[in-house]
Amino acid sequence: MKKIGVLTSGGDAPGMNAAIRAVVRYGIYYNMEVYGIKRGYEGLIEGDVERLYRRSVGDILQRGGTILKTARSKEFMTEEGQEKAAKTLRDLKIEDLIVIGGNGSLTGAKMLSDRFGIDVIGIPGTIDNDLSYTDNTIGFDTAINIVLDAITRIRDTSSSHQRTSVIEVMGRHCGDIALYSGIAGGAECVLLPEIDDDIEDVYKKVTAGIESGKLHNIIIKAEGYNIDNEKLFSSLKERTGRNVNYIKLSYLQRGGSPTFRDRMLATQCGMTAIDLIRHDIRNRAIGERDGHIVHYDLTEALEMTKGIDYDLYKGVDVLSM
Ligand code: F6P
């Protein structure tokens, strides 16, 4: 019986459990022994591995987080750490490793493949949507919906008090959460790490809105946007005459039950990973393009780059005038 392993690594993302469930149940259906590796690469280094059965993944489809737990392993960044991780797989005779995670986690999978000849499959699991080879990552849709809910609530009180609200969202170096929640939430401005805005334009935009009778001003700031927050808030207040509220949504964005879209993407990625292994197709990164599940060579996938969607960026500005 073929033995395969699955782990989740990096920041957790709603939908990771749905992907684990699909891997385990589809794998067992195709006569594979499935092993769950705890706490990502840390558990792989330490040999913290347990066999998973159909019932091990019962009642998790709808749950946020990851039943396998996750970590950002410093030791795995070292050659010794990677050697230990590869040894665990060899000792347990695990032939294929499925890694569910973001950019760093899939890069870790590539290292195992390049240096130790381990067969790996990458599934994109991160709220950040920072993997260029896929239109969507697992968790991104849920995170956006949480941000949208927050914007809706903040807008109410922002209007009542005629304040400007600066909402900070996650995403590391990627502005997708900010951009997409900004356009769908009707924000006045989005501040993205990919775009070096003239902050003067932000002050002008907010002032013009106030002069035209706007009661609220919503600015979505990506955490990766480089600016001194205190300076931004005091300048905004000074230039526009309105009080400023700062709301950092932080880990709220990473918890909770996955949306339909994330459950679907996660489930399809999990099933595809098993199909690839069944057909001896290795070292692939699974993702979604134009609504279809796709897979690319892992190295090529990680080398792909994407830019920001300038039409959407402009849309935020124009549609909120
Ligand atoms: O990668 C997901 C993410 O939530 C990023 O958006 C954020 O920058 C980071 O993880 C936070 O990491 P930690 O959980 O280690 O604080």
Side-chain angles (χ1 to χ4, degrees), residues 10-12 72 126-128 130 170-172 177 223 251 254:
D12 65 349
R72 299 187 194 280
T126 167
I127 65 164
D128 295 344
D130 61 349
M170 279 186 167
R172 212 178 275 266
I177 296 180
E223 65 177 354
Y251 296 104
R254 260 185 16 198

Side-chain angles (χ1 to χ4, degrees), residues 151 155 158-159 163-167 178-179 181-191 197 201-210 212-221 236 242 312-321:
I151 294 174
R155 184 195 292 272
S158 185
S159 295
R163 287 175 183 156
T164 297
S165 295
V166 179
I167 304 175
L179 177 61
S181 64
I183 190 129
E188 271 73 32
C189 301
V190 289
L191 301 173
D197 305 87
D201 292 340
V202 175
Y203 304 140
K204 281 186 197 150
K205 179 86 199 289
V206 173
T207 308
I210 294 169
S212 73
K214 270 186 176 261
L215 294 176
H216 55 256
N217 304 98
I218 306 281
I219 298 172
I220 310 290
K221 177 185 165 293
L236 259 175
R242 277 201 175 159
L312 281 187
Y313 178 69
K314 188 174 169 206
V316 172
D317 196 31
V318 173
L319 300 178
S320 61
M321 276 179 182

Side-chain angles (χ1 to χ4, degrees), residues 277-290:
I277 293 172
R278 281 200 308 127
H279 294 106
D280 291 325
I281 303 169
R282 306 281 151 65
N283 302 326
R284 307 294 285 178
I286 305 172
E288 185 191 41
R289 274 272 185 249
D290 303 323

Side-chain angles (χ1 to χ4, degrees), residues 73-236:
S73 174
K74 287 218 171 72
E75 196 179 352
F76 187 71
M77 306 304 278
T78 67
E79 209 155 306
E80 299 78 53
Q82 288 164 23
E83 262 165 32
K84 284 188 202 165
K87 184 174 179 310
T88 301
L89 292 169
R90 276 197 299 266
D91 288 351
L92 291 168
K93 299 198 167 35
I94 293 176
E95 294 167 59
D96 296 82
L97 177 67
I98 298 170
V99 172
I100 307 169
N103 214 323
S105 308
L106 266 50
T107 304
K110 180 180 142 44
M111 283 177 193
L112 283 177
S113 157
D114 289 351
R115 296 195 183 152
F116 304 96
I118 311 270
D119 290 326
V120 293
I121 301 282
I123 291 182
T126 167
I127 65 164
D128 295 344
N129 211 37
D130 61 349
L131 284 160
S132 304
Y133 77 87
T134 178
D135 290 343
N136 290 295
T137 55
I138 297 163
F140 176 58
D141 187 62
T142 307
I144 291 277
N145 278 294
I146 294 166
V147 175
L148 283 179
D149 181 56
I151 294 174
T152 305
R153 290 165 193 272
I154 291 163
R155 184 195 292 272
D156 288 345
T157 174
S158 185
S159 295
S160 306
H161 290 265
Q162 299 111 73
R163 287 175 183 156
T164 297
S165 295
V166 179
I167 304 175
E168 185 175 301
V169 298
M170 279 186 167
R172 212 178 275 266
H173 308 299
C174 179
D176 280 13
I177 296 180
L179 177 61
Y180 287 84
S181 64
I183 190 129
E188 271 73 32
C189 301
V190 289
L191 301 173
L192 313 176
E194 295 89 345
I195 297 179
D196 193 13
D197 305 87
D198 185 350
I199 205 74
E200 268 304 309
D201 292 340
V202 175
Y203 304 140
K204 281 186 197 150
K205 179 86 199 289
V206 173
T207 308
I210 294 169
E211 283 168 0
S212 73
K214 270 186 176 261
L215 294 176
H216 55 256
N217 304 98
I218 306 281
I219 298 172
I220 310 290
K221 177 185 165 293
E223 65 177 354
Y225 183 79
N226 189 18
I227 195 165
D228 177 335
N229 274 349
E230 290 313 317
K231 239 183 178 164
L232 171 68
F233 308 149
S234 61
S235 303
L236 259 175

